[in-house]
Amino acid sequence: TTARRYADFAAALAWPTDEHYLVVGNEPNHGDEWHGRPNPATYARFLLDTAVALHQADPQARVFNAGFDTFTPHTGSQPFNNGLFYVDAAAFLDGMVAAEPDVFTHLDGWASHPYPIGPFAAPPEQQVFQIDRLNDAAALPINDPPPGIFNRGINSYEWELWKLAQFGVTDLPVFITETGWRHSAEGYPSPEQAALYLDWAWRGNGQHDLGWTPWSDDGRIFAVTPFALAGNPDEWWHTNWLVMNEAGTVAQTLPPFIAWQALP
């Protein structure tokens, strides 16, 4: 029923493009995004049902998974210090496939959140493979990827694609639906440095041995959406690039956007 309501809503929209891009949820391995306690099986069923309904209602629908937070620890049977439970992305993906083996075959692309480590502060070349498992989750096995594949950093989508390949799913285009650097607070870069890091992530910095793959050089990347253009200022002031007015137009450009425009 919920999947059909989403499909009816999406099909009724006046889309500005021929293809209609739809992301089903957001970071469901977070307890604060999934009713306090993540559940890979229920999200897998929700994603599958919604993808089927969207495709039936709208032939131009292009359906993506919710982007996952690869920095999230697995808290096992005990909550984190905020009283909520979390599941690391690796265990969550495994749990989805265990419940619905063909869930990812219903997708038209892969949504990814490849944030820089730090978190949200380090230069593009700093990347790492790391999975944090707490409490009784520490006993769960970890399947290490091949050398050079990282799950934290601006190319972390490569680890997600590697995981998908283990499930027999290949050739999904990647949509980076969240990424970016926080700025203007202790421990974070200045707005000018944040803009420069984003430019380096996108285009490189002119050196041959970078330590990362610029997104514009990776043919698997279809789109990149920085977070956030204009989020709730009270919550996202340290990521925002713009101030929007009630009419939905730009009222003010903030220092990171101004710095980005000034780059050659």
Side-chain angles (χ1 to χ4, degrees), residues 232-248:
N232 177 6
D234 291 340
E235 184 176 4
W236 300 114
W237 60 270
H238 49 41
T239 67
N240 282 348
W241 287 42
L242 306 173
V243 175
M244 309 292 288
N245 60 28
E246 293 183 356

Side-chain angles (χ1 to χ4, degrees), residues 141-208:
I142 294 177
N143 187 14
D144 291 345
I149 293 182
F150 309 108
N151 67 336
R152 297 180 181 181
I154 68 162
N155 296 135
S156 59
Y157 58 86
E158 292 187 328
W159 173 80
E160 294 171 323
L161 294 178
W162 172 78
K163 283 288 291 184
L164 290 175
Q166 312 308 299
F167 307 137
V169 178
T170 58
D171 300 326
L172 286 178
V174 176
F175 286 64
I176 296 178
T177 52
E178 281 190 34
T179 189
W181 280 258
R182 292 182 179 177
H183 58 82
S184 307
E186 184 177 356
Y188 297 116
S190 67
E192 293 75 17
Q193 191 67 60
L196 188 62
Y197 283 166
L198 183 60
D199 188 65
W200 287 355
W202 177 249
R203 298 190 298 178
N205 63 0
Q207 300 180 21
H208 295 293

Side-chain angles (χ1 to χ4, degrees), residues 203-223:
R203 298 190 298 178
N205 63 0
Q207 300 180 21
H208 295 293
D209 187 12
L210 295 175
W212 76 93
T213 301
W215 297 324
S216 61
D217 292 344
D218 193 329
R220 298 169 296 182
I221 303 295
F222 189 89

